[in-house]
Amino acid sequence: MFASLLLAAAVAAAPNAKSSAPQLREDNIPEVVAAMTPEEKCALLIGGRSKAFNGIGHTDVGVPGAAGTVNSIPRLGIPSIILADGPAGLRINPTREGDSRTFYCTGFPVGTMLSSTWNPELVEEAGRCIGNEVLEYGVDILLAPGANIHRNPLCGRNFEYYSEDPLLSGTTAAAYISGIQSNGVGTSIKHFALNNQELNRLANDALVSERAMREIYLRNFEIAIRKGKPWTIMTSYNYINGEHASESRRILTDILRGEWGFDGTVMTDWGGGYDTPAQIHAGNDMVQPGQDWRYNELLAAVRDGSLPMEDLDNSVTRVLELIVKCPKFRGYEPSNAPDLAAHAKVCKQVADEGVVLLKNKGEMLPVPAEKKVALFGVTSYSFIAGGTGSGNVNRPYVVDLKEGLVNAGYTLDAGVDAFYSEYMADEAERCARITGKNPWFIDEERAIEVVPEDVIAQASGDADVAFVTIGRVFGEGKDRDYWHSYLLSRDEVRLLEKVSEAFHAKGKKMAVILNIGGLVEMHSWKNLADAILICWQPGQEGGNTVASVLSGEVNPSGRLPMTASKSYDREPSAGNFPLINADKPFNYSFYRQLKDRRPHVVKDIDYTLYEEDIYVGYRHFCTFDRKGVEYPFGYGLSYTTFAWSKMKVAAAEGGWTVKVKVTNKGKVAGKDVVQLYVKAPRRGLPKPERELRAYAKTPLLAPGESCEVEMFVPAEYLASYDADASAWVTEKGRYTFIAARNAADKGLRRGIRVKSSKK
Ligand code: BGC
């Protein structure tokens, strides 16, 4: 309201001002800034009002269902630009009052599945499609990608994020950003930084060493920002070593802009931080969404001089620099009719490459489409395309596994199908009664798993094979419940046991499909299954993707972007992460409001110790606990086998090139992934056993075909951060380059000698 009153007053008070006031152009920003009143400047930096703001962005201005806006200033020709959520696609309302058209957006695979492809070109292609929908639906900035590190498997937003490894995360994010921005629209990489838990996310303090921050939690952002050049960055809700992320001048100005050369705009997460002038002083240019107290606080600080005008002007300049790049400023007329059919094809293609095959005993898979399938698990009939919260997408449809299998030509066992048709209809009614009443941060009610013993017994005689899907959905606002989300439920385990027992007794096999946004415990039940594949949350074409992999039409080539440990207690951060159980209140993310923030009272809630330091994911397991791994980082099977040879390492401008020859030795075409780890000499700073420094995916290789993959390792990737010296230090000595199939694979090795350096 303040903004519209203010602007109305400004325009009305100066009838002649409009003709004399400069009108915003790309080349007159300093002139426009000089002509702005302090009120106009503050109105520009405090976002437009978000209707009924309750923690998740929502506006009805411009594009209904977008997350927010930047206020317009008509007197100076400054238009309002529109910001909307991602990352698995554009989140806007699918319908509009009084309009018969629909505004659905393609539901792409979640972030974790994009990184599982280990194929940045493909991720970029997904980005190109999403960015086209952003443009054609009239949005200027997509609030994505989400790039926080997978520190712990229970983080409720891991599905939006990419990996436990900063290189895989950073390069995937860069590709996504390039794809989106190729449309002339912007991105906002988020949540910068260390937003690794949802519980008490507005007030939690991440206590982390400088080295871990530089090498892990900032590194992925650094790679993404340097390579992808996002137009904007969204700061996170949490504190970092006692300072709010959005108020840290050191991180936002010294490191982000000074060291990394970022020249774009920084905005808060929705409602993040509390000291608005401190945010602007730090270099957090825009505060979202519009709230009166923010505006008043900022204007007061400008008036009393406690916030230098120079700080305000720097931020205003950066917001204007952003605006002049946007479609809205260019006068682009959105068609509201992107080619959803073409994007659905890309969506499937991307998902096809992100499926990770973990187990395939006796080459159970692929199963020819002529076979009769007994399809179990409620999730098979109600596939999960993506996660919840702001990362949700209003997609036109979701292909479930039943539909996917039928599309692929499989025959379904009629008895099983009839049972689930009836059961799922009853459950749908029950769920609808509950779901409609829940606030956004509570997961939708899902069908309860069922163990139809008679149906299983019958089907083990009638069908050729059993497929069982286990599903998990979660999202923004709370972390996962260890007992109910990470572990399989008693009924899920019983279902696996009963199906496995019945089918194995008849000499038939069972495959398990994990339709999940993050890992579940697998050690205790994996022996029941002949095959296990993870299809993550694969987007709207999910059932078609899984059917293609099961039938062999697609040869799986995804690799795990995180380590699957044997049990949760072996996770390096297990002792320093909130364990949620169902007895706690639901409103986890607002566990403490800012006003009653208690900095260091309750461990894992008020503050979180990053005691594992740089030893996140495989860095920990490879160095200290090899036996704790169920499936290593980078793991994934194929229906063919590949032989690697002729590894060559050569010094090149600014680093080393590494080449490996890959030959398809099997009977079907497939793609392979070469992962290049480096083992550093153990001299001064402690080092993980190995670290990923490059990777490459082959093209589709026909049986017998070979190719040579080439990777580049920049010299600076060998450095570690020495906090005492405040510098990146490469210690001299012998470095082992390891071309491996995953973090636990011995791989091909070459040693090189490196001189010491410091930067
Ligand atoms: C989320 C952001 C999102 C924003 C706008 C916040 O609650 O943390 O990821 O972009 O809302 O909807």
PDB file of all heavy atoms in Angstrom, residues 53 55-58 67 85-86 91 143 157 160 190-191 195 198 201 234 237 269-270 390 440 476, ligand 1:
ATOM      1  N   PHE A  53       0.958 -12.502   2.348  1.00  0.00           N
ATOM      2  CA  PHE A  53       2.281 -13.107   2.508  1.00  0.00           C
ATOM      3  C   PHE A  53       2.337 -13.927   3.793  1.00  0.00           C
ATOM      4  O   PHE A  53       2.092 -13.425   4.873  1.00  0.00           O
ATOM      5  CB  PHE A  53       3.347 -12.005   2.548  1.00  0.00           C
ATOM      6  CG  PHE A  53       4.711 -12.518   2.894  1.00  0.00           C
ATOM      7  CD1 PHE A  53       5.306 -13.481   2.086  1.00  0.00           C
ATOM      8  CD2 PHE A  53       5.386 -12.070   4.007  1.00  0.00           C
ATOM      9  CE1 PHE A  53       6.561 -13.981   2.390  1.00  0.00           C
ATOM     10  CE2 PHE A  53       6.649 -12.558   4.321  1.00  0.00           C
ATOM     11  CZ  PHE A  53       7.226 -13.525   3.508  1.00  0.00           C
ATOM     12  N   GLY A  55       4.968 -16.416   4.087  1.00  0.00           N
ATOM     13  CA  GLY A  55       6.210 -17.182   4.059  1.00  0.00           C
ATOM     14  C   GLY A  55       6.539 -17.703   2.685  1.00  0.00           C
ATOM     15  O   GLY A  55       7.677 -17.985   2.365  1.00  0.00           O
ATOM     16  N   ILE A  56       5.561 -17.812   1.828  1.00  0.00           N
ATOM     17  CA  ILE A  56       5.839 -18.274   0.472  1.00  0.00           C
ATOM     18  C   ILE A  56       5.311 -17.186  -0.455  1.00  0.00           C
ATOM     19  O   ILE A  56       4.253 -16.608  -0.208  1.00  0.00           O
ATOM     20  CB  ILE A  56       5.187 -19.647   0.218  1.00  0.00           C
ATOM     21  CG1 ILE A  56       5.638 -20.253  -1.109  1.00  0.00           C
ATOM     22  CG2 ILE A  56       3.704 -19.600   0.262  1.00  0.00           C
ATOM     23  CD1 ILE A  56       5.180 -21.688  -1.262  1.00  0.00           C
ATOM     24  N   GLY A  57       6.085 -16.840  -1.469  1.00  0.00           N
ATOM     25  CA  GLY A  57       5.723 -15.700  -2.300  1.00  0.00           C
ATOM     26  C   GLY A  57       4.447 -15.928  -3.094  1.00  0.00           C
ATOM     27  O   GLY A  57       4.232 -16.990  -3.660  1.00  0.00           O
ATOM     28  N   HIS A  58       3.599 -14.915  -3.126  1.00  0.00           N
ATOM     29  CA  HIS A  58       2.379 -14.992  -3.929  1.00  0.00           C
ATOM     30  C   HIS A  58       1.897 -13.587  -4.248  1.00  0.00           C
ATOM     31  O   HIS A  58       1.681 -12.790  -3.353  1.00  0.00           O
ATOM     32  CB  HIS A  58       1.272 -15.739  -3.183  1.00  0.00           C
ATOM     33  CG  HIS A  58       0.022 -15.851  -3.996  1.00  0.00           C
ATOM     34  ND1 HIS A  58      -0.243 -16.954  -4.773  1.00  0.00           N
ATOM     35  CD2 HIS A  58      -0.993 -14.984  -4.215  1.00  0.00           C
ATOM     36  CE1 HIS A  58      -1.381 -16.762  -5.426  1.00  0.00           C
ATOM     37  NE2 HIS A  58      -1.864 -15.576  -5.102  1.00  0.00           N
ATOM     38  N   ALA A  67       5.732 -14.986  -7.527  1.00  0.00           N
ATOM     39  CA  ALA A  67       6.124 -14.811  -6.125  1.00  0.00           C
ATOM     40  C   ALA A  67       6.159 -13.353  -5.699  1.00  0.00           C
ATOM     41  O   ALA A  67       5.943 -13.037  -4.539  1.00  0.00           O
ATOM     42  CB  ALA A  67       7.487 -15.455  -5.895  1.00  0.00           C
ATOM     43  N   ASP A  85       8.675 -18.273  -8.917  1.00  0.00           N
ATOM     44  CA  ASP A  85       9.493 -19.401  -8.470  1.00  0.00           C
ATOM     45  C   ASP A  85       9.776 -20.419  -9.543  1.00  0.00           C
ATOM     46  O   ASP A  85       9.033 -20.577 -10.496  1.00  0.00           O
ATOM     47  CB  ASP A  85       8.795 -20.105  -7.303  1.00  0.00           C
ATOM     48  CG  ASP A  85       9.134 -19.420  -5.989  1.00  0.00           C
ATOM     49  OD1 ASP A  85      10.321 -19.153  -5.767  1.00  0.00           O
ATOM     50  OD2 ASP A  85       8.204 -19.143  -5.213  1.00  0.00           O
ATOM     51  N   GLY A  86      10.830 -21.139  -9.324  1.00  0.00           N
ATOM     52  CA  GLY A  86      11.251 -22.387  -9.895  1.00  0.00           C
ATOM     53  C   GLY A  86      11.528 -23.280  -8.715  1.00  0.00           C
ATOM     54  O   GLY A  86      10.957 -23.033  -7.671  1.00  0.00           O
ATOM     55  N   ARG A  91       6.506 -21.485 -11.454  1.00  0.00           N
ATOM     56  CA  ARG A  91       5.326 -21.630 -10.573  1.00  0.00           C
ATOM     57  C   ARG A  91       4.455 -20.388 -10.674  1.00  0.00           C
ATOM     58  O   ARG A  91       4.780 -19.338 -10.126  1.00  0.00           O
ATOM     59  CB  ARG A  91       5.757 -21.827  -9.111  1.00  0.00           C
ATOM     60  CG  ARG A  91       4.576 -22.026  -8.157  1.00  0.00           C
ATOM     61  CD  ARG A  91       5.044 -22.345  -6.752  1.00  0.00           C
ATOM     62  NE  ARG A  91       5.646 -21.204  -6.089  1.00  0.00           N
ATOM     63  CZ  ARG A  91       4.985 -20.280  -5.375  1.00  0.00           C
ATOM     64  NH1 ARG A  91       3.673 -20.362  -5.227  1.00  0.00           N
ATOM     65  NH2 ARG A  91       5.629 -19.280  -4.799  1.00  0.00           N
ATOM     66  N   LEU A 143      13.042 -17.463  -9.905  1.00  0.00           N
ATOM     67  CA  LEU A 143      13.734 -17.577  -8.617  1.00  0.00           C
ATOM     68  C   LEU A 143      14.339 -18.975  -8.475  1.00  0.00           C
ATOM     69  O   LEU A 143      13.864 -19.824  -7.721  1.00  0.00           O
ATOM     70  CB  LEU A 143      12.771 -17.244  -7.480  1.00  0.00           C
ATOM     71  CG  LEU A 143      12.126 -15.850  -7.615  1.00  0.00           C
ATOM     72  CD1 LEU A 143      11.043 -15.644  -6.560  1.00  0.00           C
ATOM     73  CD2 LEU A 143      13.184 -14.753  -7.515  1.00  0.00           C
ATOM     74  N   ARG A 157      14.493 -29.584   1.695  1.00  0.00           N
ATOM     75  CA  ARG A 157      14.524 -29.008   0.347  1.00  0.00           C
ATOM     76  C   ARG A 157      15.620 -29.598  -0.527  1.00  0.00           C
ATOM     77  O   ARG A 157      15.891 -29.061  -1.605  1.00  0.00           O
ATOM     78  CB  ARG A 157      14.666 -27.477   0.423  1.00  0.00           C
ATOM     79  CG  ARG A 157      13.474 -26.804   1.038  1.00  0.00           C
ATOM     80  CD  ARG A 157      13.546 -25.288   0.948  1.00  0.00           C
ATOM     81  NE  ARG A 157      13.094 -24.806  -0.346  1.00  0.00           N
ATOM     82  CZ  ARG A 157      12.913 -23.510  -0.643  1.00  0.00           C
ATOM     83  NH1 ARG A 157      13.175 -22.593   0.266  1.00  0.00           N
ATOM     84  NH2 ARG A 157      12.482 -23.135  -1.826  1.00  0.00           N
ATOM     85  N   GLU A 160      15.262 -29.841  -4.335  1.00  0.00           N
ATOM     86  CA  GLU A 160      15.449 -28.659  -5.187  1.00  0.00           C
ATOM     87  C   GLU A 160      16.928 -28.433  -5.471  1.00  0.00           C
ATOM     88  O   GLU A 160      17.268 -27.683  -6.379  1.00  0.00           O
ATOM     89  CB  GLU A 160      14.901 -27.406  -4.490  1.00  0.00           C
ATOM     90  CG  GLU A 160      13.405 -27.431  -4.264  1.00  0.00           C
ATOM     91  CD  GLU A 160      12.913 -26.133  -3.632  1.00  0.00           C
ATOM     92  OE1 GLU A 160      13.044 -25.074  -4.255  1.00  0.00           O
ATOM     93  OE2 GLU A 160      12.413 -26.194  -2.487  1.00  0.00           O
ATOM     94  N   LYS A 190      19.802 -19.445  -5.528  1.00  0.00           N
ATOM     95  CA  LYS A 190      19.419 -19.345  -4.115  1.00  0.00           C
ATOM     96  C   LYS A 190      19.837 -20.609  -3.385  1.00  0.00           C
ATOM     97  O   LYS A 190      20.097 -21.615  -4.031  1.00  0.00           O
ATOM     98  CB  LYS A 190      17.902 -19.122  -4.010  1.00  0.00           C
ATOM     99  CG  LYS A 190      17.044 -20.292  -4.530  1.00  0.00           C
ATOM    100  CD  LYS A 190      15.577 -19.889  -4.600  1.00  0.00           C
ATOM    101  CE  LYS A 190      14.697 -21.069  -4.977  1.00  0.00           C
ATOM    102  NZ  LYS A 190      13.297 -20.716  -5.162  1.00  0.00           N
ATOM    103  N   HIS A 191      19.874 -20.650  -2.112  1.00  0.00           N
ATOM    104  CA  HIS A 191      19.716 -19.598  -1.122  1.00  0.00           C
ATOM    105  C   HIS A 191      21.106 -19.371  -0.569  1.00  0.00           C
ATOM    106  O   HIS A 191      21.642 -20.258   0.094  1.00  0.00           O
ATOM    107  CB  HIS A 191      18.748 -20.020  -0.020  1.00  0.00           C
ATOM    108  CG  HIS A 191      17.448 -20.553  -0.580  1.00  0.00           C
ATOM    109  ND1 HIS A 191      17.239 -21.881  -0.909  1.00  0.00           N
ATOM    110  CD2 HIS A 191      16.285 -19.920  -0.884  1.00  0.00           C
ATOM    111  CE1 HIS A 191      16.002 -22.043  -1.384  1.00  0.00           C
ATOM    112  NE2 HIS A 191      15.401 -20.883  -1.377  1.00  0.00           N
ATOM    113  N   ASN A 195      22.000 -22.527   3.695  1.00  0.00           N
ATOM    114  CA  ASN A 195      20.622 -22.829   4.091  1.00  0.00           C
ATOM    115  C   ASN A 195      20.430 -24.342   3.958  1.00  0.00           C
ATOM    116  O   ASN A 195      19.800 -24.824   3.046  1.00  0.00           O
ATOM    117  CB  ASN A 195      19.675 -22.076   3.152  1.00  0.00           C
ATOM    118  CG  ASN A 195      18.221 -22.138   3.574  1.00  0.00           C
ATOM    119  OD1 ASN A 195      17.379 -21.489   2.975  1.00  0.00           O
ATOM    120  ND2 ASN A 195      17.898 -22.922   4.578  1.00  0.00           N
ATOM    121  N   GLU A 198      15.771 -26.749   7.183  1.00  0.00           N
ATOM    122  CA  GLU A 198      14.551 -25.955   7.158  1.00  0.00           C
ATOM    123  C   GLU A 198      14.100 -25.580   8.560  1.00  0.00           C
ATOM    124  O   GLU A 198      13.501 -24.536   8.768  1.00  0.00           O
ATOM    125  CB  GLU A 198      13.438 -26.719   6.427  1.00  0.00           C
ATOM    126  CG  GLU A 198      13.645 -26.768   4.926  1.00  0.00           C
ATOM    127  CD  GLU A 198      13.597 -25.374   4.303  1.00  0.00           C
ATOM    128  OE1 GLU A 198      12.500 -24.825   4.136  1.00  0.00           O
ATOM    129  OE2 GLU A 198      14.681 -24.839   3.994  1.00  0.00           O
ATOM    130  N   ARG A 201      14.442 -22.018  10.036  1.00  0.00           N
ATOM    131  CA  ARG A 201      15.306 -21.486   8.984  1.00  0.00           C
ATOM    132  C   ARG A 201      15.487 -19.971   9.045  1.00  0.00           C
ATOM    133  O   ARG A 201      16.470 -19.446   8.553  1.00  0.00           O
ATOM    134  CB  ARG A 201      14.783 -21.887   7.603  1.00  0.00           C
ATOM    135  CG  ARG A 201      13.416 -21.318   7.255  1.00  0.00           C
ATOM    136  CD  ARG A 201      12.996 -21.737   5.847  1.00  0.00           C
ATOM    137  NE  ARG A 201      11.669 -21.215   5.555  1.00  0.00           N
ATOM    138  CZ  ARG A 201      11.147 -21.165   4.356  1.00  0.00           C
ATOM    139  NH1 ARG A 201      11.823 -21.598   3.324  1.00  0.00           N
ATOM    140  NH2 ARG A 201       9.934 -20.692   4.169  1.00  0.00           N
ATOM    141  N   MET A 234      19.704 -14.786  -4.593  1.00  0.00           N
ATOM    142  CA  MET A 234      18.807 -14.647  -3.438  1.00  0.00           C
ATOM    143  C   MET A 234      19.558 -15.080  -2.183  1.00  0.00           C
ATOM    144  O   MET A 234      20.082 -16.198  -2.120  1.00  0.00           O
ATOM    145  CB  MET A 234      17.573 -15.543  -3.615  1.00  0.00           C
ATOM    146  CG  MET A 234      16.534 -15.369  -2.517  1.00  0.00           C
ATOM    147  SD  MET A 234      15.241 -16.629  -2.577  1.00  0.00           S
ATOM    148  CE  MET A 234      14.380 -16.176  -4.065  1.00  0.00           C
ATOM    149  N   TYR A 237      17.828 -17.417   4.463  1.00  0.00           N
ATOM    150  CA  TYR A 237      17.125 -16.996   5.678  1.00  0.00           C
ATOM    151  C   TYR A 237      17.989 -17.059   6.938  1.00  0.00           C
ATOM    152  O   TYR A 237      17.681 -16.435   7.934  1.00  0.00           O
ATOM    153  CB  TYR A 237      15.946 -17.934   5.929  1.00  0.00           C
ATOM    154  CG  TYR A 237      14.715 -17.675   5.087  1.00  0.00           C
ATOM    155  CD1 TYR A 237      14.071 -18.724   4.440  1.00  0.00           C
ATOM    156  CD2 TYR A 237      14.169 -16.409   4.998  1.00  0.00           C
ATOM    157  CE1 TYR A 237      12.912 -18.500   3.708  1.00  0.00           C
ATOM    158  CE2 TYR A 237      13.013 -16.183   4.268  1.00  0.00           C
ATOM    159  CZ  TYR A 237      12.382 -17.233   3.618  1.00  0.00           C
ATOM    160  OH  TYR A 237      11.247 -17.014   2.915  1.00  0.00           O
ATOM    161  N   ASP A 269      15.550 -13.563   0.477  1.00  0.00           N
ATOM    162  CA  ASP A 269      14.468 -14.528   0.383  1.00  0.00           C
ATOM    163  C   ASP A 269      13.238 -13.844   0.996  1.00  0.00           C
ATOM    164  O   ASP A 269      13.358 -12.812   1.669  1.00  0.00           O
ATOM    165  CB  ASP A 269      14.814 -15.812   1.130  1.00  0.00           C
ATOM    166  CG  ASP A 269      13.895 -16.964   0.705  1.00  0.00           C
ATOM    167  OD1 ASP A 269      12.865 -16.704   0.044  1.00  0.00           O
ATOM    168  OD2 ASP A 269      14.205 -18.124   1.036  1.00  0.00           O
ATOM    169  N   TRP A 270      12.068 -14.423   0.763  1.00  0.00           N
ATOM    170  CA  TRP A 270      10.814 -13.751   1.133  1.00  0.00           C
ATOM    171  C   TRP A 270      10.678 -13.605   2.648  1.00  0.00           C
ATOM    172  O   TRP A 270      10.446 -14.565   3.370  1.00  0.00           O
ATOM    173  CB  TRP A 270       9.636 -14.510   0.520  1.00  0.00           C
ATOM    174  CG  TRP A 270       9.243 -13.932  -0.816  1.00  0.00           C
ATOM    175  CD1 TRP A 270       7.994 -13.536  -1.177  1.00  0.00           C
ATOM    176  CD2 TRP A 270      10.082 -13.645  -1.955  1.00  0.00           C
ATOM    177  NE1 TRP A 270       8.016 -13.012  -2.458  1.00  0.00           N
ATOM    178  CE2 TRP A 270       9.275 -13.062  -2.958  1.00  0.00           C
ATOM    179  CE3 TRP A 270      11.441 -13.778  -2.222  1.00  0.00           C
ATOM    180  CZ2 TRP A 270       9.774 -12.644  -4.182  1.00  0.00           C
ATOM    181  CZ3 TRP A 270      11.936 -13.374  -3.451  1.00  0.00           C
ATOM    182  CH2 TRP A 270      11.111 -12.811  -4.406  1.00  0.00           C
ATOM    183  N   SER A 390       7.453 -23.715  -2.380  1.00  0.00           N
ATOM    184  CA  SER A 390       7.651 -22.822  -3.519  1.00  0.00           C
ATOM    185  C   SER A 390       8.257 -23.553  -4.705  1.00  0.00           C
ATOM    186  O   SER A 390       8.238 -23.067  -5.829  1.00  0.00           O
ATOM    187  CB  SER A 390       8.522 -21.634  -3.123  1.00  0.00           C
ATOM    188  OG  SER A 390       9.799 -22.078  -2.730  1.00  0.00           O
ATOM    189  N   TRP A 440       0.222 -24.315   3.411  1.00  0.00           N
ATOM    190  CA  TRP A 440       1.170 -24.708   2.377  1.00  0.00           C
ATOM    191  C   TRP A 440       2.324 -25.554   2.848  1.00  0.00           C
ATOM    192  O   TRP A 440       2.867 -26.357   2.125  1.00  0.00           O
ATOM    193  CB  TRP A 440       1.718 -23.460   1.654  1.00  0.00           C
ATOM    194  CG  TRP A 440       2.529 -22.555   2.552  1.00  0.00           C
ATOM    195  CD1 TRP A 440       2.050 -21.513   3.281  1.00  0.00           C
ATOM    196  CD2 TRP A 440       3.933 -22.629   2.834  1.00  0.00           C
ATOM    197  NE1 TRP A 440       3.065 -20.932   3.989  1.00  0.00           N
ATOM    198  CE2 TRP A 440       4.239 -21.601   3.730  1.00  0.00           C
ATOM    199  CE3 TRP A 440       4.966 -23.465   2.405  1.00  0.00           C
ATOM    200  CZ2 TRP A 440       5.510 -21.377   4.219  1.00  0.00           C
ATOM    201  CZ3 TRP A 440       6.237 -23.247   2.892  1.00  0.00           C
ATOM    202  CH2 TRP A 440       6.500 -22.211   3.791  1.00  0.00           C
ATOM    203  N   GLU A 476       9.618 -27.453   1.162  1.00  0.00           N
ATOM    204  CA  GLU A 476       9.931 -26.251   1.912  1.00  0.00           C
ATOM    205  C   GLU A 476       9.173 -26.161   3.234  1.00  0.00           C
ATOM    206  O   GLU A 476       8.004 -26.501   3.332  1.00  0.00           O
ATOM    207  CB  GLU A 476       9.550 -25.049   1.048  1.00  0.00           C
ATOM    208  CG  GLU A 476       9.849 -23.751   1.710  1.00  0.00           C
ATOM    209  CD  GLU A 476       9.453 -22.576   0.844  1.00  0.00           C
ATOM    210  OE1 GLU A 476       9.035 -22.764  -0.302  1.00  0.00           O
ATOM    211  OE2 GLU A 476       9.562 -21.463   1.350  1.00  0.00           O
TER     212      GLU A 476
HETATM  213  C1  BGC B   1      11.452 -19.614  -0.484  1.00  0.00           C
HETATM  214  C2  BGC B   1      12.151 -19.210  -1.750  1.00  0.00           C
HETATM  215  C3  BGC B   1      11.147 -18.680  -2.729  1.00  0.00           C
HETATM  216  C4  BGC B   1      10.375 -17.532  -2.100  1.00  0.00           C
HETATM  217  C5  BGC B   1       9.345 -16.903  -3.005  1.00  0.00           C
HETATM  218  C6  BGC B   1      10.510 -18.549   0.062  1.00  0.00           C
HETATM  219  O1  BGC B   1       9.691 -19.061   1.042  1.00  0.00           O
HETATM  220  O2  BGC B   1      12.415 -19.967   0.491  1.00  0.00           O
HETATM  221  O3  BGC B   1      12.869 -20.290  -2.299  1.00  0.00           O
HETATM  222  O4  BGC B   1      11.772 -18.280  -3.919  1.00  0.00           O
HETATM  223  O5  BGC B   1       9.697 -18.030  -0.957  1.00  0.00           O
HETATM  224  O6  BGC B   1       8.245 -17.714  -3.166  1.00  0.00           O
END
